[in-house]
Amino acid sequence: MRILIVEDEQKIAQFTSNILKEMAYATDIAPTGNEARDLFELIEYDLVILDLMLPDINGISLCKTFKEMRPNRPVLMLTTLSEIHDKVRGLDSGADDYMTKPFHTEEFTARVRALLRRNQDSTLTLECADLQLDLVKRQAFRNNETIKLTTKEYALLEYLMRNQGRPLSRVQISQHVWDLHFDPESNIVDAYIKQLRKKIDHNSPKKLIKTIIGHGYTINEE
Ligand code: CA
């Protein structure tokens, strides 16, 4: 999962980004509306966190632009203004949810999870054969044994499992699991797949992570 944070106040942007990274999401920060629009065009984000007051473009009109480009992409609007008419304007512009700053971390993470689920499906556990992924506790189990994963390994496995059976290219994987600092020339995806295989498939006769030669990877039962 990759999330775009549109926020001109650097401290808040970094704070928000840190919370999301702890939740195993990749994040990019855009300090202006124009930069946000460019990134949004380029990358298929799973969610946008949008500040209402930006130096160049008004958050409301930016939200409308996002929704015109990709209607199903969820937008969570953040603002320091708590007046009711701003809330209404925000929701009218197509924002899926709205929070006022400063926010409580727990409420924020709950809303992010809810918005991401809305875009996918409402399931809280993903399964592939005897491999289970608990999306709330962010834990993996194989044959009922807990598998300890790092944050990035978890993010990679979640992305594979949400797209079960679908061939995913290295670029697609890196776009959803890593951020803009990712070097496309690096073999980081392969390295992480190798790690994941050790943890997921090594002790099981049934190998779930498959290589698609010349393309990338997939996870499936067959
Ligand atoms: Ca602002």
Side-chain angles (χ1 to χ4, degrees), residues 7-9 51-54 101:
E7 173 66 74
D8 57 317
E9 282 165 74
D51 176 33
L52 191 62
M53 306 287 259
L54 295 166
K101 292 185 281 193

Side-chain angles (χ1 to χ4, degrees), residues 172-190:
Q172 273 175 313
I173 293 171
S174 63
Q175 277 215 347
H176 281 270
V177 181
W178 278 271
D179 58 25
L180 278 180
H181 304 290
F182 172 81
D183 172 7
E185 298 295 310
S186 82
N187 63 353
I188 194 161
V189 173
D190 304 291

